[in-house]
Amino acid sequence: MTDKTMNTVDSSPVDATKRTLLKGGVAAAVITLAPGITLRTVEAAVTGPATQAKRWGMLIDATAPEGVWDLAVEACKAEQGWGSDHNKSGKANAATDPQWIRKVSIKNPKTGAKASLPVMCQHCANPPCVDVCPTGASMKREDGIVLVDKHICIGCRYCMMACPYSARSFVHEPVEMQKPHMPRGKGTVEGCTMCVHRVDKGQQPACVEALNKAGSDAIMFGDLNDPKSDISRAVSKYVTQRIRADLGVEPGVHYRGI
Amino acid sequence: MRSASRILSLTILGFAIVIMGLGSGLSAAPAQAGEVPLPNPAKAFKGEQCVEPIDVMRRDHFEFLKHQRDETLREGIRGKKYSLNACIDCHAVTSPDIAGGKLRTLKPFCAECHSYAAVSIDCFECHSGAVQPGIGSEIGKQSALPPNHEQLKADKALITLLKGHLDPTSPQGGTGQ
Amino acid sequence: MAADTTIYKEIEGKGGDYYSLVGWLAVMAAAGFGSMLYMEHYGHVVTGMTNAVVWGTPHVFAVFLIVAASGALNIASISSVFGKTQYKPLARLSTITAVALLAGGLMVLLLDLGRPDRLIVAMTKYNFKSIFAWNIILYSGFFVIVLTYLWMMMERRMVPYSKKMGLLAFVWRLALTTGTGSIFGFLVARPGYDAAIMAPMFIAMSFAFGLAIFILVVNVAYRASNRPLGDFILFEMRNLLGVFIAAALYFTVTQHLTNLYAAEHAGIEAFILWDGGIYTFFFWVVQIGLGALFPLALLFNPATGRSCQGIMIASILVIVGGLAQLYIIIIGGQAFPIPLFPGMEVSSSFFDGAVHPYVPSLLEILLGLSGMAVSLLIIAIAVKYLPLMPTSLSDAKVDPNHVAAE
């Protein structure tokens, strides 16, 4: 518990006494709970931990009509609460407002062929952002989801330097009215979480669900480790491609039809 | 030369102190000990009991929270009882002063003790306590702090009472039950 | 040679000049701290940084100071590790300059964090895979080792051990600069950085930047304290500076030549060398012209190279050129778009495929300059309270052949 020790380093003796007093002092420390005491709150079903048995991933169909990507972006904003932080400063600023997922248009300059597709955190198996993070805030869950542990993020932005996909944003302004399931705060880095809070409950990420509701399966989500899952079948059926596969980072997001 | 080396070792020491002081100074910047009266944590809005007996809560709540936060975020274990959102549900209050009553906030509850003990926490920068359908549906009933809440703190009789309540050596004991 | 007879003494540090110097430096340092508080309050939206150029002007100054710090230690290393006794009297000043520069640089890095209040997290949680975390260890170690080294040089009983400590400090400083260079060298995603040559190039840069700052410190300190400073030691440092500038230039040339051969790097090379606007200007005019070729000419031209002013101007130019070089590496490297789909035209709402604009804000410049101010402040205070400066650096004192020549 380094946190706790550090906490006492900065305290004056007076504060320390006060803390002991508040915490019930030595006397209280001896009080033991009778074993088996039932507490009032009934614990909701505990789920997890995430294990390596799963490898969450996505398959994105770049041949889908362009409009669906705008829908995916809006769904993400609504679910995670990004996209309106500038409301406080009053002006939208494309350069500093976070973008967890964005629509990218590509064109082959020789043939003129075009495509458009969404780009977000690719949830790499060998994520450069995790390697470079000095505190370990940038992390990969056992099931392959790459997250920022905002509790220990110091806002150094080295992960943003390292990410080949520009998938992360830095929160430039104070944030208000965060969603209870997605706490966000100024001075830390954030990005697509593959909607862990939903996935852990057995739901689909918000963008996938929104597209499904609109009758599109342009983004498919599932367990790449399970050969019977829809996504595994699709990945073995179509020739898929991953962005900058040459870098060896092994993204968990596959594309087809680029 | 002797004195020079003494000065130098003092400088090295000073360096260490400055670095440590800077760190702690920054992290505990708003800490203000001194003449704050003993805390009077606002009553929980909901429930008769906390997630643990009160003396345990007082002593270990931050261990619980930190443990749960690491489990949730880093390991993907969800549904355990020391959820910050749950604390919000029982302990947070709304006030027309705060975001027009749209935000519940734990700040007054947690700050009572913390400002006394010179602890500063940053949780609520991110864990805003915003109302969302399904979570905290009882928000309407969640009362704002009494308007005279500031003066309450200075109430001598109340402080004496609290002192007894919090001091483990006093007859009432520190159990606070 | 006979035993070291150099007399070291604190400077007077009483005159109005001294106090106004310290006062101004303190004001600049405070300005940096003020910008930090302002940034803390409003968020980094008030700076020039964006989600594409995430390291801005403060990082240019910070990396400059950190790189220069290890270079400033060179004079001490040369005297103890390589046995060049003429530099011996300057060894103490060289170590304190190194420590001061590192402290200033780190302060800037720290104050530019998104959450500077979480410094304790940075010091207690380490991800050992991160080159950044290694650097935190390298930096802390540098302070400890270099200050111990200084102490050993000053404490008579310890002098015999100081040579070993000097060697350790020298090895450590090489590791430190390698670490700093690798912060960029390891970033495979960005075409401007992905190069092993970054590490040795940063070492060559550190030699030049550190010595340039040190020459200025010595000149100003000796003139202001009215202590004799002979030509001999000055010219020695001048020659050394010339060699270091050439070495740094050599690595720059090699870097760009190798990149030009690799077709995949053609884009970033064209950007820096040809059509990158401000970055191209900084490269040819400031870094190469003002920062390398012109100082070399000044140093080796008999007229200017033998004058104190000439050498000082050259040193200032090296510093300006160095800042420009780091601006190109750090900011230019980010302004150039990351190739998401090599060979394709890419566009989005997030600057994909386009050069990212970046304009430094006053806050960031203040913060950067305050790092320099803090470094100088530390030196100014140290020489007042510690016997770091020899009472005389006249030729008679330092030139080993001086007596023989007479």
Side-chain angles (χ1 to χ4, degrees), chain A residues 235-258:
Chain A
V235 167
S236 54
K237 186 163 133 204
Y238 305 110
V239 174
T240 67
Q241 179 184 344
R242 290 179 290 177
I243 306 179
R244 292 304 308 268
D246 57 315
L247 295 175
V249 295
E250 293 288 323
V253 178
H254 294 245
Y255 291 81
R256 69 184 178 98
I258 302 182

Side-chain angles (χ1 to χ4, degrees), chain B residues 129-147:
Chain B
V131 183
Q132 212 202 8
I135 301 179
S137 44
E138 293 178 68
I139 180 124
K141 289 185 250 159
Q142 221 147 327
S143 60
L145 285 177

Side-chain angles (χ1 to χ4, degrees), chain C residues 316-347:
Chain C
I316 294 174
L317 288 175
V318 170
I319 295 173
V320 172
L323 285 169
Q325 181 173 12
L326 286 167
Y327 193 92
I328 300 165
I329 293 179
I330 297 180
I331 297 178
Q334 297 172 82
F336 188 75
I338 300 182
L340 211 48
F341 296 95
M344 299 280 186
E345 281 170 14
V346 185
S347 65

Side-chain angles (χ1 to χ4, degrees), chain C residues 225-242:
Chain C
S225 61
N226 286 325
R227 295 186 183 186
L229 172 63
D231 279 348
F232 174 74
I233 190 82
L234 197 61
F235 291 171
E236 288 278 298
M237 291 198 286
R238 172 201 64 193
N239 294 347
L240 215 50
L241 184 62

Side-chain angles (χ1 to χ4, degrees), chain A residues 33-248:
Chain A
L33 279 175
I37 256 191
T38 0
L39 296 161
R40 199 203 57 89
T41 6
V42 183
E43 284 190 39
V46 176
T47 58
T51 65
Q52 290 187 346
K54 289 202 181 339
R55 164 68 162 128
W56 296 118
M58 285 183 171
L59 173 60
I60 294 173
D61 180 0
T63 59
E66 215 180 299
V68 300
W69 309 134
D70 297 324
L71 184 62
V73 172
E74 290 310 315
C76 183
K77 283 187 190 171
E79 174 72 20
Q80 307 282 29
W82 58 274
S84 51
D85 302 339
H86 53 261
N87 282 354
K88 202 166 174 215
S89 67
K91 53 178 193 315
N93 185 343
T96 54
D97 287 347
Q99 293 199 28
W100 292 23
I101 175 172
R102 63 190 190 272
K103 182 173 82 176
V104 171
S105 309
I106 54 178
K107 182 176 159 201
N108 186 330
K110 295 202 188 77
T111 64
K114 285 185 191 164
S116 83
L117 43 101
V119 175
M120 68 311 234
C121 174
Q122 304 284 306
H123 299 280
C124 308
N126 308 315
C129 57
V130 173
D131 289 347
V132 300
C133 176
T135 65
S138 195
M139 49 155 279
K140 188 180 73 168
R141 286 200 343 170
E142 292 291 302
D143 56 6
I145 297 183
V146 176
L147 296 173
V148 182
D149 182 347
K150 293 180 199 168
H151 300 114
I152 55 172
C153 172
I154 55 174
C156 74
R157 296 133 26 217
Y158 197 20
C159 57
M160 300 176 71
M161 291 289 275
C163 177
Y165 306 102
S166 314
R168 282 194 175 166
S169 300
F170 179 75
V171 183
H172 283 73
E173 291 175 78
V175 187
E176 275 182 355
M177 298 299 284
Q178 298 91 327
K179 309 275 176 191
H181 58 261
M182 183 34 65
R184 308 174 48 231
K186 181 189 76 199
T188 55
V189 172
E190 57 183 20
C192 162
T193 65
M194 234 182 211
C195 285
V196 264
H197 61 288
R198 298 171 59 92
V199 171
D200 284 347
K201 279 190 274 178
Q203 297 169 332
Q204 303 258 309
C207 55
V208 180
E209 193 182 272
L211 293 199
N212 283 349
K213 278 195 183 139
S216 161
D217 58 358
I219 306 181
M220 197 180 252
F221 168 82
D223 180 6
L224 290 167
N225 275 356
D226 173 6
K228 290 198 288 291
S229 69
D230 289 349
I231 186 169
S232 294
R233 289 208 195 116
V235 167
S236 54
K237 186 163 133 204
Y238 305 110
V239 174
T240 67
Q241 179 184 344
R242 290 179 290 177
I243 306 179
R244 292 304 308 268
D246 57 315
L247 295 175

